[in-house]
Amino acid sequence: MMKQLWSKKYLWLGILIAALLPQIIENRFYMNILIMILLFATVANAWNVLGGYAGQLSLGHAIFFGLGAYTSSLLFLKLGVSPWLGIIVAVILCVIVGVLIGFPTFRLKGTYFTLATIAFAEVVRQVALFWRSLTNGSMGVNIPFDPSFGNMVFREYSVYYWITLVLFLISLAVMYWIDGSKLGYYLRAIREDQDSAQTLGINTTKYKMYAMMISSAIAGAAGVIYAQYMLYFEPDNIFNLNLSIEFVLIVIVGGIGTIYGPLLGAAIIIPLNEFLRSLFPSLNGMNFFIYGVALMLIVAFLPNGLLPFLKERLAKLTKRKKLEESKAA
């Protein structure tokens, strides 16, 4: 009980600090980093539902991120539908696509499932490239800079920060709910041993589908915010395999299957990415080389990620301090 109270206190303290950051930080470069951290942490939370809890290692989550961006943007540009309504349509569409992808791919296990998600992502990218009448092909989608609440376009970075913060907190609330619910227990059982879970009476396909629906919905919503923030995107960057890998890397670095792991991973990977780009502007892809090295080191020395490692170290230090205090007494 006391542990839960302390956990809630730290959570509310973190929300309070996050709420005050726009008042403290005025530099646009750093505000951009904060916005991207929250945005990518949200998508990493989405991936964590399917990959961390259910053990389905997808490398195609750029599908839902990109679909969210394209759906709201095309509705806005072609039909004049506000992105605030477009985000609802985008979430519904992403859930439908997630179900359609889940039906054939959930029959596969391990590497085969991962390869299938890559294949689906590539198919969607090619469709977006060649369906020029709808998506504008390789020319991409350019959203006019016309600041207004209805357009979800703003001059101030702080407004985008608030929107991404709210979306992240919603995804965090979903993670908390899953972690303590029957769904979370079933997903962890499927992750540890799918055959044993099925033997115990768990409908593995149904619960993996639930995870896919939740995961795709959150990723799609994040894609809408990304589109309205960047105001330009095209198939090769929003359906990119490297983007899907980045989502996975964030979770692995932070701690796969943990609530706060994606946030910790995003707080490390996103600033690293931005600083690498500024340090090596002429070396395109240097950030992915660094990512590869970081991933190998994490897997080799911290296979559970940074968050479980930090928790373990903190627990040991607390235990040692209590022993020293008891000896001194």
Side-chain angles (χ1 to χ4, degrees):
M1 184 67 179
M2 286 299 294
K3 187 177 180 181
Q4 289 179 348
L5 289 173
W6 274 108
S7 178
K8 288 180 180 179
K9 283 182 180 179
Y10 284 125
L11 174 61
W12 286 112
L13 179 62
I15 293 172
L16 178 61
I17 292 170
L20 293 173
L21 283 177
Q23 308 300 322
I24 300 169
I25 301 172
E26 296 181 357
N27 186 291
R28 289 197 164 196
F29 176 75
Y30 295 118
M31 280 300 296
N32 174 66
I33 290 177
L34 288 175
I35 292 166
M36 297 306 289
I37 286 172
L38 290 172
L39 197 59
F40 274 67
T42 301
V43 187
N45 275 340
W47 186 91
N48 201 25
V49 174
L50 185 65
Y53 280 83
Q56 307 301 299
L57 302 180
S58 165
L59 281 180
H61 260 58
I63 295 173
F64 310 117
F65 190 68
L67 274 178
Y70 267 101
T71 302
S72 67
S73 300
L74 293 177
L75 284 173
F76 174 62
L77 294 173
K78 294 182 180 293
L79 300 176
V81 177
S82 170
W84 296 107
L85 295 175
I87 197 169
I88 299 171
V89 180
V91 165
I92 293 170
L93 179 61
C94 287
V95 169
I96 293 170
V97 171
V99 170
L100 293 175
I101 291 173
F103 271 119
T105 57
F106 285 150
R107 300 172 186 271
L108 306 172
K109 293 182 181 180
T111 308
Y112 298 104
F113 173 81
T114 304
L115 291 173
T117 59
I118 294 173
F120 271 106
E122 181 60 20
V123 168
V124 173
R125 188 180 73 86
Q126 292 298 329
V127 169
L129 276 171
F130 291 101
W131 197 353
R132 294 184 180 88
S133 60
L134 180 66
T135 65
N136 207 26
S138 59
M139 296 294 291
V141 174
N142 192 9
I143 301 171
F145 182 71
D146 183 15
S148 75
F149 181 83
N151 294 344
M152 205 191 286
V153 176
F154 308 98
R155 296 184 187 276
E156 300 83 7
Y157 276 38
S158 59
V159 181
Y160 288 109
Y161 175 84
W162 287 113
I163 295 171
T164 52
L165 178 60
V166 169
L167 183 61
F168 169 74
L169 290 175
I170 291 171
S171 72
L172 191 65
V174 171
M175 294 298 294
Y176 262 103
W177 170 72
I178 290 173
D179 193 66
S181 69
K182 182 177 76 171
L183 174 60
Y185 293 120
Y186 283 0
L187 291 179
R188 282 189 286 264
I190 293 168
R191 178 189 67 195
E192 296 304 322
D193 193 328
Q194 182 171 320
D195 294 330
S196 296
Q198 207 156 7
T199 304
L200 291 170
I202 298 173
N203 188 332
T204 56
T205 302
K206 181 176 80 170
Y207 285 100
K208 285 192 291 185
M209 196 64 76
Y210 286 159
M212 174 67 91
M213 292 167 70
I214 295 168
S215 183
S216 58
I218 296 171
V224 175
I225 306 303
Y226 176 84
Q228 296 304 125
Y229 177 59
M230 300 302 292
L231 298 179
Y232 174 80
F233 56 90
E234 45 92 15
D236 281 332
N237 68 21
I238 206 159
F239 290 120
N240 198 313
L241 176 61
N242 290 334
L243 192 60
S244 291
I245 292 172
E246 193 167 358
F247 299 148
V248 180
L249 181 61
I250 286 170
V251 181
I252 291 175
V253 168
I256 192 167
T258 62
I259 294 177
Y260 291 105
L263 178 60
L264 177 61
I268 294 170
I269 295 297
I270 299 304
L272 178 64
N273 189 22
E274 294 298 324
F275 285 118
L276 285 173
R277 283 178 182 175
S278 60
L279 285 172
F280 304 103
S282 60
L283 297 178
N284 188 26
M286 173 60 73
N287 55 323
F288 293 110
F289 170 75
I290 302 294
Y291 286 170
V293 173
L295 182 58
M296 286 189 291
L297 292 173
I298 290 289
V299 171
F301 298 104
L302 300 171
N304 296 321
L306 284 172
L307 188 63
F309 170 74
L310 293 173
K311 281 185 175 180
E312 185 182 344
R313 295 297 301 171
L314 183 61
K316 285 181 178 179
L317 287 171
T318 305
K319 188 177 179 181
R320 186 183 301 172
K321 187 176 179 181
K322 285 182 179 179
L323 284 173
E324 289 175 354
E325 287 176 353
S326 63
K327 286 179 181 178

